[in-house]
Every structure is written in C-alpha cells, then in structure tokens.
Amino acid sequence: MKYSKEAKPERAAGGRSRAVPVALLLVVLCAFSFYLGGIYSTGRSLLDVNGIVVKGASSSSSASAVAIDRTSTSTSTSKAVVVFPECPADYQDYTPCTDPKRWRKYGNYRLSFMERHCPPAVERKECLVPPPQGYKAPIRWPKSKDQCWYRNVPYDWINSQKSNQHWLRKEGDKFIFPGGGTMFPNGVGAYADLMAELIPGMRDGTVRTALDTGCGVASWGGDLLGRGRGILTLSLAPRDNHEAQVQFALERGIPAILGIISTQRLPFPSAAFDMAHCSRCLIPWTEFGGLYLLEVHRVLRPGGFWALSGPPVNYENRWHGWNTTAAAQKADLDRLKRTLASMCFKPYSKKGDIAVWQKSTDPACYEKLTPVSSPPKCDDSVDPDAAWYVPMRSCLTSPSSTSSRYKKLALDATPKWPQRLAVAPERIATVPGSSAAAFKHDDGKWKLRTKHYKALLPALGSDKIRNVMDMNTVYGGFAASLIKDPVWVMNVVSSYGPNSLGVVFDRGLIGTNHDWCEAFSTYPRTYDLLHLDGLFTAESHRCEMKFVLLEMDRILRPTGYAIIRENAYFLDSVATIAKGMRWNCDKHDTEYKADKEKVLICQKKLWSGKNTQH
C-alpha cells in the first residue's frame, strides 16, 4: 500500500521515541538479508564463508555423503579443503537421470520410465564415479570410428546377442565395428551410398544435420562423418540394461545422446534437423494418432527428409524374416502412408529397403488443418520451440501462408554447407537481445578466444581431443571456431535462458537444451573437453557449484580437459572443488588480460578405484 503526504496522520506524542528503535531494527534486518542474499545469489557456498574443512570419506562409506570437519581455521585467509569419496565400483556407468535402478518407480506407458527422471536433491551423489577395471585412454579419431578398447565399454551381452548382425565383434582387447546392422546386409557403406542416391542433397551440402533415432552403435552416423560429406548426425537411443548404444557411439567419437521418443518432446527446437533417419528402430510410428511422427515433423526443417528402412518398407521381400504376414505388413505400410500424408509429408523416393518422405514446404498444405482434423491444428498457445520437459501434443504446428519465417527455414532457402555456418540465420530475430550484428560480433570474438585457448592448451586442435561440449553457448561460436579441427561439439543452451538453440542448428551445428541443475543425458567418461563460459555467473542463483562440477567430472574422460572461463570471484571456489575431484588446474589471463575474468585450464587424472585395479 502506498501512502501520500496528504494522507499521513498526525504523529501522537511520544511517537518519535518509539520510531527510533523500530527504524534501527529495520536497518539491522535489511543488512542481514542483504548479507545472506549476497552469499546465495553469487553462488558462494557456506564452505567459503565459514572456512569449513571437508574431508573425504573412505570408499566403503556412503556414496551419497561427504564427511565434514567443522574445525575452525586459524586465519581468515585459510581455504576450504574438499575431498570427495569414490563411488562404489558398480557406479561406473551411473546415469543419474536415466538410472535403470529407479525405473520400477515409474509407469510402463509408452516406455516413459526410460525418459529423464532425476533423483531428488537428498538422493544426489557426492562422489567420484570410478572408471571400469582396465580402463585406458580412448583410441584416437579416426581410428576410433572402427575400434575401441573392450575394457572401456565391457559389454559382452551386446557382442553375443548382435553377433549375427555384425554390429561389433571382440578381437583380443578391442571391439571392432565392421559397419553391420539389421538393415545393412552389405555393410553400412553400401547402405549410405544407396541413401545418397535417393537423396542427392546428401552429396552437395544441402543436408548437413541429421537425427538418427534408435541408433544402434551409431554406424550410420559414423559412416557419414568419415566420408567428409559434411553431414553431422546426432544419434539418439535410450539407456537400457545391456546394449549401451550411446556409450559405444561416444567411445567411437560419434555424436550421441541418451533419449527416447515417448511422452516428452525431444530437447531440440522446431525445424532443427535437415534429415531424420530410422533403421528398424522399432518405433510404432502410426500408433497413438501418429504422435511419434508428429515429433519428427516438429524437429524437421521444412523440405527436410525422413528416411525409413525396416518394417514395413520392402515387406514383399522381407516379411518371411519378420515373423509376420505379407498382408499385415501391407496394411501397416498403407497406414503409414496415410498418416504421413495427413502431416504434409510427400513420398520422395524409394529403392530396396529404404523409403524417403519429404516434409512439405508449401504452407497451403497446412491450411487444410483445423482444430478437429486428424491430426488437429495446434492452437497459438503451443510454442513449437519449447522442448525442456514439455509433453508432446497430438497436434501439428501450422504456419500461415504468409509466414516468412517458415519459408526462410525451408531447406531449399537455407545456404548450403559450409556457407551457412557464417550466415546470421533469420531465426536470430526471435531470440531476445539478438541481432545479425550481435551474431557477427560473437563470431569474431570466438575466433580470438579459441586462438588464445589453443596457446594455453596445445591439445586443442590435435587428435587428443575429439568429443567436445560447450556447456552454455549462445550461437555456437566456440564450435564454429573449431570447425576445421578433428572435433565435434555438443552445444548446450540453457533451458532457463533465451532459447538460441534454433540459431545453432540453422548454422549447421548440433546441440540440446539442458538445465545444469540436473545431470546431463549421457554416460560417464564420454567427453574429452568441457568448455564453460560464465555458467556460474549466470546460474549460481539456481544451481549449486559443487553438483555442477561433480557432473562435469562424471562425463569427462580421464585425462580429459576442462576450460572454465569465469568471473575471477568464482574461480577460487572452482579450483578448490576441482582439487577435491583430483583435477590439476592452472589459472590464466584471458586474451584481453582483464582482471575481472580469468581462465582455468584443468585436466582430470586417470585413477584406479579402490575396488578396481588397472
């Protein structure tokens, strides 16, 4: 309530003497509140304030707790000592938000138990995930595309169960990837050749980004990477108890992420990928009103391609081996064709086991949709780019016939690769605070920064680093500056900031939305380099520094690196926690030699758990 001078009542006698202590009390309370706010809003932990010494528990202690010694330090300049215990040996493949040990808590409907379900705060682990027995530094790219150390991904189940499909085979101390697959009878090379024959845009730079659903061990994406055609495939598969498909893909140096098309949208914006692919991924595309195809439609660029091999394609020659009948497969294929046509997909080409459809670029096709058609038209409240814990809806986003954005997002209106990398996309106008000028400035800034990083870390740009993550990008500038190096970059855009991920994809790069208060959707030991630029400055009011750094340790490969670019205020706390995680770190100036911001270069040690021996 507001008060005016005119409405102010007369002060009673003696009122002034009572007002003084009340005013003093308010001042004290405000000062205390400001003090607490300063601590929590800047991300400083109580360890920094009180000088608490944190000592590591033994490996036999609870993996979810850190012992705390509250002995006061002798001087105000003493720093906290943080030592984290080792997790038990059976946590070597721990994926907190897709943990099979927790699946029984969730329903079986549409396999939703395989989606992200992060543990509550009280169950978060504060320990270091150990490597498996016999782990050693991964084989370097490009040799890693065809082989990896058996002990790094020690799964005999997939070797025995998939031996007849030639996904992989064990030879001595290695897994060999011969490029086989259920639908690759002549090898993945011949399969990719046929697909490129059906989709000429795969050869001339028109198709740059692809999504592979149910990716197996990512042989298709790996083959496209190895050919130099410029096609960057993001492979997607759920966590399961046996196959570890995503872990194999990342161990090979191929982009992949844990995920499943179930009840929630995939963590990508609309019109992100130039192509989507399913090779007998066994997704029931026509069930639930075609809901899964609607999600493919959402993430596919207008004019983009959807390629399918496996049931019911080529059923005439394949139904004998599918434990079904020709009549049943023909009915499935007819139903699939009708469903795709209702979503404005057009048949594009077909040969052998592969059929290709193209998402229409004609807005007039969508004008036929109504709120009661099948599928129905989405209402205006549905944001097609919102993708972090957003339920899928059985409706189709319909652009208007005058939608310039829709036309400019079309594949035939997008510059070919690699020209599109340097062009400010039209979609940048939809990102708050962004513009073509800001894009150009960001691009130049990252070229200068990356040159400085390479001077500080000579391994960057060499074959020692393959899998890279930019943990809080804006436009993908860091990834763009590394485009000539033998790396691929997972660009992560905060789910709580301006959603610029569409710009990243428009440039021909890949990435995902994510909230760093939670664990990332990947296995342990899957990235060679993590890059962090101002994440704690931006997110310290929400995410506790300790848990972010422990998550970084989980997903970073032993001997891998972290480049942490932060306000100098945070770096002492980061360095203290990093030391407790057995990282070796050095502080450096930025390329501008500014005092406000510093760069911390860290390397994770390769260590043996107490319950494992190398």
Side-chain angles (χ1 to χ4, degrees):
M1 181 180 294
K2 294 183 179 180
Y3 294 91
S4 66
K5 291 183 180 179
E6 291 78 8
K8 188 180 295 182
E10 293 279 331
R11 183 176 288 129
R16 182 179 298 273
S17 61
R18 289 193 299 270
V20 173
V22 172
L24 288 174
L25 179 60
L26 287 173
V27 170
V28 171
L29 288 174
C30 288
F32 185 65
S33 175
F34 180 80
Y35 170 73
L36 290 178
I39 293 174
Y40 290 105
S41 66
T42 58
R44 292 182 66 189
S45 70
L46 292 179
L47 298 180
D48 301 325
V49 178
N50 297 329
I52 296 173
V53 180
V54 181
K55 296 182 178 180
S58 67
S59 60
S60 61
S61 302
S62 169
S64 62
V66 176
I68 299 179
D69 180 353
R70 298 186 179 274
T71 305
S72 299
T73 52
S74 57
T75 66
S76 60
T77 59
S78 299
K79 293 182 180 179
V81 178
V82 180
V83 181
F84 295 97
E86 297 172 11
C87 300
D90 60 356
Y91 274 73
Q92 67 184 33
D93 291 324
Y94 180 50
T95 53
C97 295
T98 49
D99 186 359
K101 296 177 182 177
R102 297 172 52 85
W103 283 351
R104 66 182 182 275
K105 297 183 178 182
Y106 309 107
N108 293 328
Y109 180 64
R110 294 192 345 224
L111 300 180
S112 59
F113 62 90
M114 286 187 172
E115 292 183 303
R116 286 180 60 87
H117 301 285
C118 298
V122 294
E123 296 181 19
R124 298 185 74 169
K125 306 303 179 187
E126 298 183 33
C127 57
L128 306 179
V129 174
Q133 182 178 358
Y135 181 91
K136 49 186 172 182
I139 295 171
R140 296 179 183 177
W141 182 266
K143 289 184 178 180
S144 64
K145 182 174 75 72
D146 301 316
Q147 56 187 272
C148 75
W149 299 117
Y150 165 71
R151 286 295 176 188
N152 287 13
V153 195
Y155 296 109
D156 289 312
W157 184 92
I158 191 172
N159 181 38
S160 60
Q161 294 295 316
K162 299 294 183 180
S163 59
N164 63 321
Q165 297 173 19
H166 307 293
W167 282 17
L168 73 169
R169 66 175 181 270
K170 188 172 181 294
E171 292 185 2
D173 59 354
K174 293 179 181 177
F175 274 130
I176 306 298
F177 300 91
T182 311
M183 302 308 301
F184 310 157
N186 300 314
V188 69
Y191 178 85
D193 283 340
L194 175 58
M195 190 170 293
E197 179 184 327
L198 297 175
I199 308 174
M202 292 178 66
R203 296 182 182 272
D204 65 6
T206 300
V207 173
R208 163 62 178 172
T209 57
L211 176 67
D212 189 12
T213 54
C215 61
V217 292
S219 293
W220 183 70
D223 182 83
L224 295 180
L225 274 177
R227 290 177 178 233
R229 288 175 174 168
I231 297 178
L232 186 60
T233 303
L234 181 53
S235 297
L236 179 80
R239 169 70 198 258
D240 55 35
N241 283 317
H242 305 291
E243 296 179 25
Q245 300 169 69
V246 166
Q247 193 170 18
F248 272 112
L250 289 161
E251 185 67 20
R252 299 174 68 186
I254 301 170
I257 191 172
L258 285 168
I260 184 172
I261 304 179
S262 177
T263 67
Q264 306 286 327
R265 284 181 174 180
L266 297 176
F268 314 121
S270 65
F273 294 94
D274 305 328
M275 180 178 180
H277 169 254
C278 164
S279 173
R280 203 177 184 189
C281 56
L282 302 181
I283 296 173
W285 294 112
T286 58
E287 292 185 16
F288 311 109
L291 186 63
Y292 304 138
L293 278 174
L294 286 169
E295 180 62 1
V296 170
H297 186 281
R298 184 185 70 85
V299 302
L300 200 60
R301 191 177 294 275
F305 302 98
W306 185 60
L308 174 67
S309 63
V313 175
N314 198 19
Y315 72 88
E316 301 93 337
N317 300 314
R318 289 283 192 173
W319 68 269
H320 297 280
W322 291 344
N323 193 29
T324 183
T325 65
Q329 287 299 296
K330 181 181 184 305
D332 285 348
L333 183 58
D334 290 342
R335 185 163 52 250
L336 179 64
K337 289 178 178 178
R338 289 195 300 270
T339 303
L340 287 165
S342 72
M343 298 178 185
C344 297
F345 278 102
K346 302 178 296 182
Y348 186 78
S349 56
K350 180 184 181 300
K351 187 175 181 180
D353 291 327
I354 303 174
V356 180
W357 285 265
Q358 186 177 31
K359 180 178 175 179
S360 177
T361 59
D362 183 8
C365 174
Y366 300 94
E367 291 178 355
K368 302 173 184 177
L369 299 175
T370 68
V372 295
S373 61
S374 181
K377 176 183 177 180
C378 291
D379 59 52
D380 293 338
S381 67
V382 179
D383 180 1
D385 290 338
W388 187 246
Y389 291 123
V390 176
M392 289 194 295
R393 290 183 59 179
S394 300
C395 62
L396 201 66
T397 301
S398 172
S400 68
S401 58
T402 58
S403 174
S404 60
R405 178 191 171 195
Y406 183 79
K407 294 177 181 177
K408 290 173 180 177
L409 285 176
L411 196 57
D412 58 4
T414 302
K416 292 184 178 181
W417 180 261
Q419 288 77 19
R420 64 192 282 187
L421 181 68
V423 176
E426 293 290 336
R427 187 159 19 187
I428 201 167
T430 66
V431 182
S434 297
S435 64
F439 175 91
K440 184 177 180 180
H441 173 76
D442 185 79
D443 215 31
K445 175 183 72 176
W446 279 108
K447 289 176 182 176
L448 185 63
R449 285 185 173 187
T450 300
K451 182 179 179 181
H452 182 62
Y453 290 164
K454 288 182 175 180
L456 300 177
L457 182 61
L460 182 58
S462 75
D463 62 0
K464 293 181 180 179
I465 293 176
R466 171 63 183 168
N467 302 350
V468 177
M469 178 185 289
D470 193 0
M471 294 176 61
N472 57 323
T473 191
V474 179
Y475 307 132
F478 181 52
S481 69
L482 294 171
I483 204 65
K484 293 182 179 180
D485 294 331
V487 304
W488 65 269
V489 181
M490 178 66 75
N491 293 281
V492 181
V493 172
S494 172
S495 56
Y496 281 84
N499 191 0
S500 59
L501 190 55
V503 174
V504 173
F505 275 98
D506 289 349
R507 301 187 71 178
L509 305 171
I510 57 172
T512 180
N513 287 122
H514 184 64
D515 175 9
W516 282 111
C517 296
E518 300 180 357
F520 193 77
S521 295
T522 191
Y523 282 87
R525 304 172 302 280
T526 44
Y527 284 88
D528 299 302
L529 173 68
L530 302 176
H531 174 259
L532 181 158
D533 175 27
L535 177 65
F536 297 120
T537 299
E539 301 280 24
S540 62
H541 63 291
R542 297 193 313 106
C543 308
E544 190 173 346
M545 179 187 292
K546 170 181 60 178
F547 288 113
V548 176
L549 288 166
L550 282 171
E551 176 62 6
M552 291 172 65
D553 181 79
R554 185 185 72 86
I555 67 179
L556 188 62
R557 285 172 166 174
T559 73
Y561 301 92
I563 300 176
I564 302 173
R565 187 186 185 104
E566 263 296 353
N567 189 302
Y569 177 81
F570 290 97
L571 280 194
D572 284 343
S573 295
V574 171
T576 299
I577 297 173
K579 185 176 181 181
M581 299 190 307
R582 311 179 190 184
W583 291 11
N584 294 320
C585 299
D586 293 306
K587 187 190 294 186
H588 302 272
D589 287 330
T590 66
E591 63 279 7
Y592 303 114
K593 300 189 182 301
D595 291 333
K596 243 179 116 179
E597 196 176 43
K598 298 292 181 182
V599 176
L600 201 65
I601 305 288
C602 300
Q603 185 173 27
K604 178 180 175 178
K605 292 180 181 178
L606 172 57
W607 50 271
S608 300
K610 290 186 172 63
N611 297 321
T612 61
Q613 296 296 324
H614 289 281

